[in-house]
Amino acid sequence: MEERILVVEDDKKLNDGICLALRADSRRFLQCQTIREARAIWGAQTLSLILLDVCLPDGNGIDFVREIRRTSRVPVILITVNNMELDIVTGLEAGADDYITKPFSLMVLRARAAVQLRKKEERTDRFVMDGFDFDFEKMEFRRDGVLIGLSLTEQKILRILCENKGATVKRSRLIDAVWQGDTEYVEEHALTVAVKRLRDKLEEDSQNPVYIRTVYGIGYTWAVRR
């Protein structure tokens, strides 16, 4: 299976060097030098790993990590400089999986990338439970073997609920994740309508849901049946 690695680094020589160091027959590299370019690639491609410089011409890589983590668990390795310890801590708290400091050994880079790619393989984009079979990578969703069509908004909501199975996800987090921070023009009612449509498609009785439960005044949860 092809591994797609996004390298976001504004130093073209270093960007090319990273790709050369990680080169393998099974890997495809997508290179860019700005967050804007990275956002376009990330939105259009299924990625295996992102190597992301913290300081980019059009913004901070850590902010982009936060954006990614609203809807994706793709591994992210931050590229930073030796004296920016605060960036490292903030980046890890934002959801980065690892970091590497400039100047770095290409051998160390290869090792750290290999660890994250291995973890990616161990993680699954598939959720199976009580007759449900959700393949988020292929965007195929079934109940008792029957294919169910879901909109992109419904897929995003479902993925977040499944990834947090048994826990309550706040409405504000769902809105921010689904509409990617552009919440100023999103009504609270939009989430309610989207959840209702999702229930209509997945629950046997959407008026008395078993799985997609409302936690009143807080948000929603994918309930675990006892």
Side-chain angles (χ1 to χ4, degrees), residues 158-226:
L158 180 61
R159 181 166 196 150
I160 294 168
L161 293 177
C162 290
E163 286 180 347
N164 295 275
K165 179 179 66 175
T168 300
V169 181
K170 292 182 179 180
R171 289 180 62 89
S172 59
R173 179 183 170 191
L174 284 167
I175 290 172
D176 194 42
V178 173
W179 285 279
Q180 297 193 4
D182 189 17
T183 58
E184 183 178 353
Y185 304 104
V186 176
E187 297 181 5
E188 283 265 324
H189 186 59
L191 177 62
T192 303
V193 171
V195 171
K196 181 183 182 304
R197 288 176 179 165
L198 188 58
R199 282 176 173 150
D200 289 342
K201 294 177 179 181
L202 298 181
E203 299 275 5
E204 289 184 359
D205 180 359
S206 61
Q207 299 300 314
N208 298 287
V210 173
Y211 298 95
I212 305 173
R213 301 273 189 88
T214 300
V215 181
Y216 291 98
I218 302 176
Y220 299 95
T221 185
W222 182 279
V224 179
R225 299 181 70 179
R226 301 297 182 184

Side-chain angles (χ1 to χ4, degrees), residues 15-45:
N15 197 316
D16 291 341
I18 290 171
C19 296
L20 185 62
L22 299 180
R23 186 174 57 184
D25 291 341
S26 61
R27 292 174 184 170
R28 176 186 169 196
F29 293 92
L30 303 142
Q31 297 174 256
C32 62
Q33 296 174 298
T34 67
I35 291 174
R36 182 179 179 181
E37 293 171 320
R39 187 179 289 116
I41 294 171
W42 172 61
Q45 301 275 349

Side-chain angles (χ1 to χ4, degrees), residues 3 75 111-123:
E3 295 173 335
R112 294 197 174 194
V115 168
Q116 296 306 322
L117 288 167
R118 186 165 61 248
K119 287 181 178 179
K120 175 68 168 60
E121 290 179 2
E122 292 169 355
R123 286 198 292 263

Side-chain angles (χ1 to χ4, degrees), residues 108-139:
V108 172
L109 173 65
R110 284 194 293 268
R112 294 197 174 194
V115 168
Q116 296 306 322
L117 288 167
R118 186 165 61 248
K119 287 181 178 179
K120 175 68 168 60
E121 290 179 2
E122 292 169 355
R123 286 198 292 263
T124 178
D125 286 318
R126 193 170 177 183
F127 178 89
V128 179
M129 174 181 175
D130 295 352
F132 292 110
D133 187 344
F134 304 144
D135 190 323
F136 291 98
E137 183 173 359
K138 294 181 179 179
M139 293 189 291

